[in-house]
Amino acid sequence: MSDVKTEKLGFEAEVSKLLHMMVHSVYSDREIFLRELISNASDACDKLRYEGLSDDSLLAGDTDFGIAITVDPAAKTIQVSDNGIGMNRDDLVANLGTIARSGTAGFMDKLTGDAKTDVQLIGQFGVGFYSVFMVADSVVVKTRRAGDADAWAWESTGEGEYTISGAEKDTRGTEITLHLKEDAAEFLEQHRLRQIVTTYSDHIAVPITLAIKGGEEADADPKVVNEGSAIWTRAKSDITEEQYTEFYRHAGHAFDDPALTLHYKAEGMQEYTVLLFVPTTRPVDLFDPARKSRVKLYVKRVFITDDTTDMLPGWLRFMRGVIDSQDLPLNISREMLQNNPTLNRMSKAITKRVVSELEKLATKDTEKFLKIWETFGPVLKEGIYEDFERRDLLLKLARFKTTADDDWVTLADYVERMKDKQSTIYYVTGPDEATTRRSPQLEGFKSRGVEVLLLSDPVDEFWLQVVQDFDGKPFKSITRGSSDLKDLDSDKKDASDDTVKEGDLTTLTTVMKEVLGDKVKDVRASDRLTETAACLVADDDAMDMHLERILKAHNQLDQIAAKVLEVNPDHPLMKVLTEKAKETGAVQSLEDIILLVFDQAKILEGETLDDPTAFAKRLSTAMAKGLAA
Ligand SMILES: Nc1ncnc2c1ncn2[C@@H]1O[C@H](COP(=O)(O)OP(=O)(O)OP(=O)(O)O)[C@@H](O)[C@H]1O
């Protein structure tokens, strides 16, 4: 085997970038390299334990999984070895030459080159194996896949290239040797290594041993340095917050702290243990369709998979941790898990529990809950759309921004604050909160003190299609259909001299319709405007404007429907126009102004103009005339 020629290969561009940062060590917590190696070694043992269930020849009689750390102070090396699954040549190239994680490209684009900002980003993304180059100037990975006769050596100094060659290795598994940098001598010290293992890896369920070869601290006899039992099997009272955090980081491949920890054992009809976490930060790939689940399924403490979408619903995809079932058969294959009734029942019960824990948190620690909502609300709201069974629960849990103030409110809060004659929950949708707050269509609602929900997550447009009402109160967009604001006015305004007469207004809207032709669906007087001269709204039976824009942007809609132009009869411009519209030849003389009014309304909606040059020309002419008058 060792006569296989040495191949030189280049790292993928992304890896090179990451390695550059590692080699120049911008990360302050260099010690995490050991956590990463132990975490990978433990995953490798889990994988083999699982594969061994269906093919025990892979285990070759050796079922005592373990991770060994061996230090050689004289050679300045530290070695981490495991008897897990190991890697063949192709695995090596795929795993230690690329970053296979989804969201990588997007993440790399965010790197600024500024060490401080990038370190924070890396803290969220994680660097895994590549972190070894923070402490080592050369690394050798010797590995043999379980069941294979051939072993391989991977070597690199972390600078652009690595080599792969055939190697001698008697046993399966992986052995990673780090030649430490001059300034990394602390990692040769026994107490330092013990402290790192206890801090980060105590929860690892396979024994981790430490041995020191030679030197003052010589201790060649490997000593177990971790607790070694699966953390979720221990009593809650025996686990510290730090231990939970470290386990969360290992199991979820996470780098932040958990925002919420959920640890319980279900007994009765079904028996299982749950240790789940809500992260603090949004994973970079949260909205990436290729995102993998980060919840690991165990059966009687044997790792089965972290790659099943059936464990928790998609709208809980930000959760991380483990679920350990007593009821599923140990030899269950990943394929058999799909639509498995036991798993489905478990998933339902766990989902219910997660929602009820979030509900509890919302009353017990509102601030903490709101942080979670701010981070994951847009994902949880997908459940309102997708999950008929949980719809009502999630609607109750959901928090919204409104025109009333800056706080988050529940729909129940909204309903309680509704005006006497108000029977509808009003909302406006837009690309972000600031834009929705600026919507001209809000004016009439604000002036009447009617609260409006400000919805700016893309998912809002979708759940609103399927939810009819909350507490018997229907939802209504303020940018679609005719407004029923007049019904809310307690004292109807008297027709004063100041108000444009209805007949005159009809003359104006008729002229406007003639000028605008099929650019508009209709032109009508508005009661939702108080300051702005005109705005666009979608027709009653048409799609809401923001939804239309979302679909158009995703190429799911060819044609944008013509809108209704609503004019504010109390606006000075409309008053003048109403008078001018009565004159003969108004269609020609008012054409430019009417087109300007229409384009303005489009700009207010954030739409692009069909002909910006013509708009600019008309505006300049109108301004020149205005100044000359
Ligand atoms: N000791 C090992 N035994 C077998 N495979 C390993 C070992 N160490 C690493 N690998 C393989 O290399 C891959 C890359 O490891 P790396 O630590 O960079 O990322 P990761 O563990 O997948 O993700 P994360 O960065 O979140 O830890 C692993 O997914 C695994 O397939």
Side-chain angles (χ1 to χ4, degrees), residues 404-595:
D405 44 42
D406 268 342
D407 296 338
W408 290 99
V409 301
T410 61
L411 288 174
D413 295 335
Y414 180 98
V415 169
E416 204 180 299
R417 301 206 289 232
M418 273 168 55
K419 293 264 149 199
D420 281 351
K421 294 182 188 166
Q422 186 184 345
S423 56
T424 308
I425 300 174
Y426 293 106
Y427 69 85
V428 58
T429 52
D432 51 68
E433 190 190 322
T435 309
T436 56
R437 275 193 197 280
R438 284 195 300 263
S439 304
Q441 294 91 342
L442 282 174
E443 292 170 4
F445 291 85
K446 277 196 203 149
S447 70
R448 289 168 175 87
V450 177
E451 192 170 2
V452 177
L453 303 178
L454 304 169
L455 307 178
S456 54
D457 293 315
V459 63
D460 290 323
E461 289 288 2
F462 297 94
W463 69 258
L464 283 161
Q465 307 292 314
V466 294
V467 176
Q468 309 306 327
D469 62 83
F470 177 80
D471 200 12
K473 314 278 185 298
F475 290 91
K476 185 168 179 5
S477 164
I478 64 154
T479 60
R480 196 178 118 208
S482 48
S483 123
D484 45 13
L485 271 176
K486 281 234 164 57
D487 307 342
L488 296 180
D489 290 336
S490 39
D491 40 351
K492 265 210 146 130
K493 261 207 260 170
D494 296 326
S496 66
D497 286 350
D498 218 25
T499 314
V500 174
K501 287 198 195 74
E502 230 171 274
D504 293 349
L505 201 62
T506 313
T507 315
L508 172 64
T509 52
T510 313
V511 169
M512 291 181 92
K513 267 188 255 185
E514 200 167 333
V515 170
L516 295 169
D518 55 14
K519 283 190 171 61
V520 289
K521 181 83 197 285
D522 194 10
V523 181
R524 67 183 177 218
S526 182
D527 53 14
R528 56 189 121 208
L529 297 176
T530 57
E531 284 156 36
T532 306
C535 71
L536 292 174
V537 295
D539 200 16
D540 276 295
D541 52 9
M543 202 182 279
D544 209 356
M545 296 190 286
H546 181 236
L547 173 60
E548 206 177 38
R549 274 194 292 272
I550 295 181
L551 295 179
K552 185 94 196 327
H554 288 86
N555 291 329
Q556 288 183 12
L557 200 70
D558 303 328
Q559 197 84 43
I560 290 279
K563 304 286 165 326
V564 175
L565 180 67
E566 284 198 354
V567 297
N568 175 2
D570 295 328
H571 193 279
L573 175 62
M574 289 306 150
K575 285 183 183 160
V576 184
L577 280 178
T578 310
E579 284 312 307
K580 298 249 181 214
K582 289 189 237 166
E583 295 169 9
T584 42
V587 172
Q588 285 74 38
S589 61
L590 297 182
E591 184 182 5
D592 276 358
I593 299 291
I594 291 171
L595 287 170

Side-chain angles (χ1 to χ4, degrees), residues 21-22 24-33 35 115-116 118-120 122-123 127 131 134-135 183 186-187 192 196 200:
M21 296 180 69
M22 291 299 108
H24 297 95
S25 194
V26 291
Y27 209 55
S28 53
D29 300 328
R30 296 201 301 172
E31 66 196 32
I32 60 121
F33 81 91
R35 167 183 81 184
K116 267 198 185 143
D118 291 351
V119 162
Q120 278 181 355
I122 284 196
V127 288
S131 59
M134 295 194 291
V135 296
D183 66 356
E186 60 182 295
F187 302 114
R192 181 80 175 99
I196 301 174
Y200 296 109

Side-chain angles (χ1 to χ4, degrees), residues 328-329 331-341 343:
L328 288 166
N331 59 355
I332 192 159
S333 72
R334 287 170 193 152
E335 293 71 37
M336 276 159 66
L337 284 171
Q338 267 175 8
N339 302 320
N340 178 288
L343 189 68

Side-chain angles (χ1 to χ4, degrees), residues 36 40-41 44 47 82 85-87 95-96 101 128-129 174 253:
E36 298 301 315
N40 285 343
K47 279 182 203 158
D82 64 70
I85 189 87
M87 287 177 271
N95 296 332
L96 305 187
R101 207 164 336 149
F129 168 79
T174 303
H253 296 248

Side-chain angles (χ1 to χ4, degrees), residues 30 33 37 70 72-80 132-141 154-158 175-185 187-188:
R30 296 201 301 172
F33 81 91
L37 292 182
T70 315
D72 184 340
K76 294 202 177 82
T77 60
I78 169 167
Q79 191 179 74
V80 178
V132 292
F133 290 104
M134 295 194 291
V135 296
D137 39 33
S138 94
V139 176
V140 182
V141 179
W154 176 105
E155 282 193 62
S156 181
T157 55
E175 187 184 285
I176 302 179
T177 309
L178 276 56
H179 295 267
L180 293 178
K181 290 184 182 182
E182 281 299 323
D183 66 356
F187 302 114
L188 295 168

